[in-house]
Amino acid sequence: MALPLLPGNSFNRNVSGSTLEKEKFHKSQHWSYCNKVSMLVGEDKPGIGGEPLPGQKLKPKYSVFPRGVGSDAPSWVAFDKQVLSFDAYFDEEVPEKNQELYRIRHCKIYFYLEDDTIQVVEPQVMNSGIPQGTLIRRHRIPLPPPDEDQFYTVDYFNLDKDVIFYGRRYKIIDCDQFTKHFLRKIGVRLNPSVNRPEDPYSKERQKLIDDMKPLRPYERFDTLCQFLEHDGHVLRFYGVWDDTESMFGDVREVVLHYFLADDTIEIKETIPVNAGRDAVPLFLNRQKLPKYAPVGLYQPGTITDRTVLNVFGGLVGNRGRYILDNRKTGAVHQEFYKDCDLRIGSVINVWGRKIVLCDCDEFTKEYYRTKYGVKDFTPVPYKAPPPPKVGRQIPPYNGFGSEEDSLCSCIGLLPQPPQKDFKKFMEKDRQGLESNILRFLAQFITTDPIDKERKFIISYFLSDDTISVFEPPQRNTGVIGGKFLERGRVPKPGQEVFKSEMSEYYTAQDLYIGAKICFHGHVFLVVDADEYAFNYMEKHANEFAMANISTILNKLKAIGEPKSREIKQIFAATDPQHTTVMDYDEFRKVMMNISDGKLSEHEIMTVGRYYSVRDKNEMDITFLLAVSQEHLKKSSFENFGQLLASFVYNDRDKCGLLPSNKCRTICKSFRLPIADDLLRALLAAFEDGKENVNYKKLVDGLNWREHPIPAFQTILIPLQYEDEWSGQPPTLPVKKIKYLPLIQDAFGIEE
């Protein structure tokens, strides 16, 4: 039911516009009464009982398709981006012009299915002088009068049919395949398409243009497309020119470049070092290369792209006129090399010089593989095999200086000092408490009763692979201790002194417990090592086979697997009370008996250390504080009050405890002259069970002014005299061995 017409209604204000709008409104609307109230109703309202009134046209409520057919989606979803395209034309009168009375203008009609909007576009024609493009913008177009209250739908479109848009009649002549398929699908019977009419004025104008063309024959050479497609694309071939027939000639290597942009060729010569030839920039300048060299040289102007028949008129200021010969009378035709003529193994004629193409690069192979389907790119051998390289004869060592220094004088005219492994020196040099020095205890292998009791400390420096030997003094032996061997690299025995090859020197892998080594005629037996050496070798087990527990277990398994039951009985007999623990001396005897001497002393000690029973080692706090105070005293560090204040400031709970990481950060901020590993050990000594540090005790222990600690007696060796190791057993000697896990790991035998 329509809204009543009220004085303040906006609809009433819109109706009171122009006279034309009033007429349209009164034509589609009329007055009626409902419950004695005057109502404005539409003309579509049926009569009594729903019967149409006389002369009334009712619009169908639904489409031609019944309910339930098709998709339930809305049109703007079901027909999104679907457009019907029609080819059409319209006639346009041309007044005030004698050449044409009317003009036929072709256009495109687009019908958008999603909202029944229509757009009319006219393709642009060059030099037409008519504003072209979008004639009608996209919107819903109403039907012509008297049905201007309705809009065009898809039902009004068909081939060979006229449609009127705002008074202009368009003739639909054709459509695309999608439009035909869609119209057939909705039940529209398509009419046959109509031929496209020609514009008489355009036809007459084209005739005039065609008549004028023979008077000016002009041949167009369009190379722009080839340039745009292949600009920067170059085929590269490697070839040779055999010039051995001429005097002092030889085989020359060249590189041929074929430019796909303009079919030109450029050749460069590869001149070897010390060839004696002038280094010319190009063997052949970039040009089109003819297949057959002419007998004689052509005169200038003989070979041209165009032939001028006649020249007349003034030649000044581009006012002259000329006519070209489109039949090319007397032109010289030459065949030039193309990309299809270049192949591996083919011979090309470069102005009388025969060049053989032997190989090409990967881009050229891919180009021929894609365009011509060539698959065989076997190169032609053209390079002579290189002459055998003459080995450098190094003179033998003359005995002056070191072997490395003597070798440097044979390499260059200006002798340079031998280069040291600086990277290894930086990695293996002393870093805090990491000395990177392996110390071993050794004895003489001799029958002399005096020398037999002498002990030596062998120090191996990992930073430069040097060795020094120190003999600690012993009372009442009659031998003065001290430095026995100066620090340096020690060659292995049995090598020739004066030879060209470098000597073989002792390495860290040659030193282990039980090894026999000879230093300049003195034979030593390595009998022990310090704890740092054991730990370092076990930590770097991939470098030291004697300390690699996996290698030792595999070796032990290979030795004792055939008699595994006997091995179990031997261990059981050694431990009658079945405690699964035995002394190291008994364990060593059993291992020597099992291996039949195939395991070295160091390997047995590695196994014993791995399966040993060790007590928990508690770091001596006094020892750590003594070392720390010594470093602080040398650096004159006295800011203990500020250090304690910083700890108190960061202690928000005021409990006297801080996390270990926080304490370490605060100490680092004060730049304490203490190594990082020593600081970590010191903080660990003051930790409680929850990794919190009592910072008050820590600062009091570091304060060497108020709480000095006397020199600790265990610090007998300053850092600069590390060779003075007494050779005593390690601080954690191996006493008890758990042999049952060893049997299980080596032989898989359960108890």
Side-chain angles (χ1 to χ4, degrees):
M1 182 179 294
L3 294 174
L5 187 60
L6 301 178
N9 199 319
S10 61
F11 186 69
N12 187 19
R13 291 197 299 270
N14 293 335
V15 170
S16 61
S18 62
T19 306
L20 179 60
E21 292 178 351
K22 290 180 180 180
E23 293 177 357
K24 292 182 179 180
F25 172 75
H26 288 295
K27 185 177 180 181
S28 59
Q29 309 289 336
H30 65 273
W31 294 92
S32 180
Y33 290 90
C34 181
N35 296 330
K36 298 181 181 182
V37 177
S38 179
M39 301 290 291
L40 185 66
V41 298
E43 64 178 2
D44 295 340
K45 182 177 180 180
I48 298 173
E51 297 294 333
L53 299 174
Q56 186 181 24
K57 297 180 181 179
L58 297 180
K59 298 179 181 178
K61 189 175 182 180
Y62 304 104
S63 64
V64 296
F65 295 95
R67 276 184 174 273
V69 178
S71 176
D72 295 335
S75 61
W76 54 273
V77 175
F79 300 110
D80 184 29
K81 298 181 181 179
Q82 296 187 13
V83 184
L84 304 182
S85 176
F86 298 93
D87 296 333
Y89 72 91
F90 63 93
D91 299 338
E92 183 182 28
E93 294 183 1
V94 183
E96 301 177 359
K97 193 172 183 181
N98 297 330
Q99 288 82 359
E100 54 180 342
L101 300 178
Y102 67 95
R103 182 175 298 161
I104 296 178
R105 299 175 63 176
H106 299 274
C107 58
K108 287 274 189 180
I109 299 177
Y110 298 106
F111 184 87
Y112 295 86
L113 295 173
E114 55 181 323
D115 53 0
D116 293 346
T117 55
I118 300 174
Q119 182 184 10
V120 181
V121 178
E122 181 182 7
Q124 293 185 359
V125 179
M126 188 178 296
N127 298 328
S128 64
I130 304 174
Q132 296 171 329
T134 302
L135 300 181
I136 301 177
R137 293 185 178 180
R138 178 181 173 182
H139 67 286
R140 297 186 68 188
I141 300 178
L143 294 174
D147 300 324
E148 64 270 16
D149 59 330
Q150 303 179 26
F151 298 93
Y152 275 99
T153 62
V154 70
D155 300 327
Y156 291 93
F157 290 88
N158 201 340
L159 302 183
D160 195 11
K161 187 176 180 180
D162 295 343
V163 291
I164 300 176
F165 297 155
Y166 299 110
R168 178 175 288 177
R169 185 178 298 273
Y170 294 86
K171 181 74 171 181
I172 300 177
I173 59 176
D174 202 357
C175 62
D176 58 2
Q177 291 296 329
F178 172 76
T179 306
K180 292 179 181 179
H181 178 71
F182 182 82
L183 293 177
R184 290 193 185 100
K185 191 173 181 181
I186 64 176
V188 178
R189 179 173 296 179
L190 289 176
N191 300 328
S193 59
V194 183
N195 294 330
R196 182 174 182 177
E198 296 183 359
D199 183 22
Y201 177 74
S202 300
K203 184 177 180 180
E204 186 67 23
R205 184 177 177 83
Q206 185 65 30
K207 184 178 179 180
L208 292 176
I209 295 175
D210 295 340
D211 293 340
M212 295 173 61
K213 193 172 183 180
L215 300 178
R216 295 180 2 190
Y218 182 79
E219 184 179 0
R220 181 177 178 83
F221 296 93
D222 187 9
T223 58
L224 180 60
C225 180
Q226 181 182 1
F227 173 78
L228 295 177
E229 290 181 357
H230 300 288
D231 182 31
H233 296 172
V234 183
L235 305 181
R236 178 180 296 175
F237 290 90
Y238 304 97
V240 292
W241 171 40
D242 191 358
D243 191 32
T244 55
E245 295 181 359
S246 61
M247 184 178 296
F248 307 112
D250 55 356
V251 179
R252 302 189 183 184
E253 299 180 9
V254 296
V255 179
L256 184 144
H257 294 157
Y258 184 88
F259 297 87
L260 295 173
D262 54 359
D263 299 327
T264 55
I265 292 178
E266 172 188 271
I267 300 179
K268 295 183 179 181
E269 182 180 2
T270 304
I271 301 178
V273 181
N274 299 328
R277 300 194 189 95
D278 294 334
V280 295
L282 290 175
F283 185 81
L284 176 68
N285 289 329
R286 181 176 176 180
Q287 58 182 276
K288 285 190 175 183
L289 182 63
K291 290 186 178 181
Y292 308 102
V295 178
L297 296 177
Y298 293 104
Q299 295 296 327
T302 304
I303 302 177
T304 58
D305 294 336
R306 300 179 180 87
T307 303
V308 180
L309 283 181
N310 200 354
V311 178
F312 56 92
L315 299 178
V316 181
N318 294 330
R319 296 178 182 177
R321 298 181 179 274
Y322 60 90
I323 186 170
L324 301 178
D325 182 12
N326 58 349
R327 298 188 178 277
K328 298 182 180 180
T329 305
V332 178
H333 298 281
Q334 273 191 321
E335 293 185 13
F336 298 95
Y337 279 104
K338 302 290 184 181
D339 55 349
C340 58
D341 301 321
L342 304 180
R343 293 285 192 278
I344 295 179
S346 61
V347 181
I348 62 174
N349 184 6
V350 182
W351 301 104
R353 296 171 176 84
K354 305 296 182 181
I355 293 181
V356 182
L357 303 182
C358 302
D359 200 358
C360 60
D361 60 357
E362 291 299 328
F363 173 77
T364 307
K365 294 178 182 178
E366 185 64 26
Y367 175 81
Y368 280 94
R369 188 182 296 112
T370 304
K371 185 174 182 180
Y372 297 105
V374 180
K375 297 182 179 179
D376 186 14
F377 297 98
T378 304
V380 178
Y382 63 95
K383 291 185 179 180
K389 189 175 181 180
V390 180
R392 177 180 293 179
Q393 297 293 335
I394 299 176
Y397 174 59
N398 54 12
F400 293 95
S402 63
E403 293 184 354
E404 294 81 1
D405 192 10
S406 178
L407 180 62
C408 290
S409 63
C410 303
I411 295 177
L413 295 177
L414 299 177
Q416 299 291 335
Q419 297 293 331
K420 297 182 180 180
D421 193 349
F422 186 74
K423 180 180 179 181
K424 183 178 181 180
F425 174 78
M426 294 300 295
E427 291 178 354
K428 299 297 182 180
D429 194 21
R430 172 181 293 279
Q431 298 177 1
L433 297 180
E434 289 287 335
S435 63
N436 289 316
I437 301 175
L438 307 182
R439 296 183 180 87
F440 301 89
L441 182 64
Q443 293 180 347
F444 270 140
I445 300 180
T446 179
T447 56
D448 190 351
I450 298 177
D451 293 340
K452 193 174 183 180
E453 299 297 330
R454 298 170 64 182
K455 295 182 179 180
F456 301 89
I457 297 177
I458 301 175
S459 300
Y460 187 90
F461 298 84
L462 296 171
S463 59
D464 54 359
D465 299 328
T466 55
I467 298 175
S468 66
V469 181
F470 180 81
E471 182 179 8
Q474 300 182 31
R475 300 181 62 182
N476 300 326
T477 58
V479 178
I480 301 176
K483 185 182 297 184
F484 184 82
L485 178 64
E486 185 73 24
R487 178 179 175 179
R489 299 175 66 187
V490 180
K492 292 184 179 180
Q495 302 182 74
E496 185 181 354
V497 178
F498 304 102
K499 61 182 183 304
S500 301
E501 296 80 11
M502 296 293 296
S503 298
E504 186 178 358
Y505 295 89
Y506 278 104
T507 61
Q509 288 75 17
D510 299 324
L511 302 178
Y512 55 89
I513 309 301
K516 296 180 180 180
I517 52 180
C518 180
F519 293 165
H520 303 294
H522 300 276
V523 183
F524 296 91
L525 175 64
V526 181
V527 296
D528 202 354
D530 64 350
E531 184 65 21
Y532 178 82
F534 281 114
N535 292 333
Y536 183 88
M537 297 173 74
E538 292 171 0
K539 185 178 180 181
H540 302 80
N542 55 339
E543 302 177 10
F544 299 91
M546 296 296 175
N548 194 333
I549 188 63
S550 300
T551 304
I552 299 173
L553 290 179
N554 293 334
K555 185 177 180 181
L556 182 61
K557 183 177 180 180
I559 296 173
E561 190 172 10
K563 47 183 180 179
S564 59
R565 187 176 297 274
E566 298 177 3
I567 294 174
K568 179 182 178 182
Q569 295 177 358
I570 293 174
F571 277 103
T574 310
D575 184 21
Q577 299 180 359
H578 302 287
T579 59
T580 67
V581 177
M582 59 190 309
D583 295 336
Y584 176 76
D585 295 337
E586 297 179 356
F587 173 78
R588 178 179 176 278
K589 294 178 182 179
V590 172
M591 294 297 294
M592 293 295 292
N593 185 19
I594 293 174
S595 62
D596 295 332
K598 296 181 180 179
L599 292 179
S600 64
E601 189 71 29
H602 197 116
E603 292 175 329
I604 297 176
M605 294 184 67
T606 301
V607 176
R609 288 171 57 86
Y610 187 79
Y611 295 99
S612 63
V613 179
R614 296 190 180 185
D615 298 331
K616 184 177 180 181
N617 180 33
E618 296 182 358
M619 184 64 66
D620 194 341
I621 299 179
T622 308
F623 175 82
L624 295 176
L625 291 176
V627 175
S628 302
Q629 286 189 5
E630 186 70 20
H631 287 291
L632 295 173
K633 187 183 299 183
K634 289 182 179 180
S635 301
S636 301
F637 182 86
E638 299 181 0
N639 297 331
F640 299 105
Q642 297 180 5
L643 179 62
L644 181 61
S646 179
F647 280 121
V648 174
Y649 175 78
N650 288 273
D651 185 10
R652 304 300 182 185
D653 299 334
K654 305 302 179 183
C655 59
L657 300 176
L658 282 177
S660 179
N661 295 333
K662 188 66 177 179
C663 295
R664 180 171 173 268
T665 304
I666 296 174
C667 294
K668 286 292 184 181
S669 64
F670 277 83
R671 297 182 179 180
L672 291 180
I674 301 176
D676 187 66
D677 50 359
L678 178 59
L679 180 61
R680 291 176 182 270
L682 194 61
L683 293 175
F686 285 92
E687 285 182 355
D688 57 358
K690 298 181 180 180
E691 298 184 357
N692 292 326
V693 178
N694 191 334
Y695 56 84
K696 182 67 170 57
K697 293 183 178 180
L698 174 64
V699 176
D700 292 342
L702 294 176
N703 194 341
W704 55 274
R705 282 291 187 185
E706 298 180 1
H707 307 90
I709 299 178
F712 203 64
Q713 295 182 359
T714 57
I715 311 177
L716 300 176
I717 310 164
L719 295 179
Q720 61 269 24
Y721 298 109
E722 292 181 349
D723 289 340
E724 299 179 2
W725 177 49
S726 61
Q728 297 299 323
T731 56
L732 296 177
V734 178
K735 298 180 180 179
K736 299 291 183 179
I737 307 297
K738 297 180 291 186
Y739 63 88
L740 187 58
L742 170 63
I743 298 176
Q744 294 176 356
D745 294 342
F747 309 106
I749 302 176
E750 298 182 359
E751 186 177 3

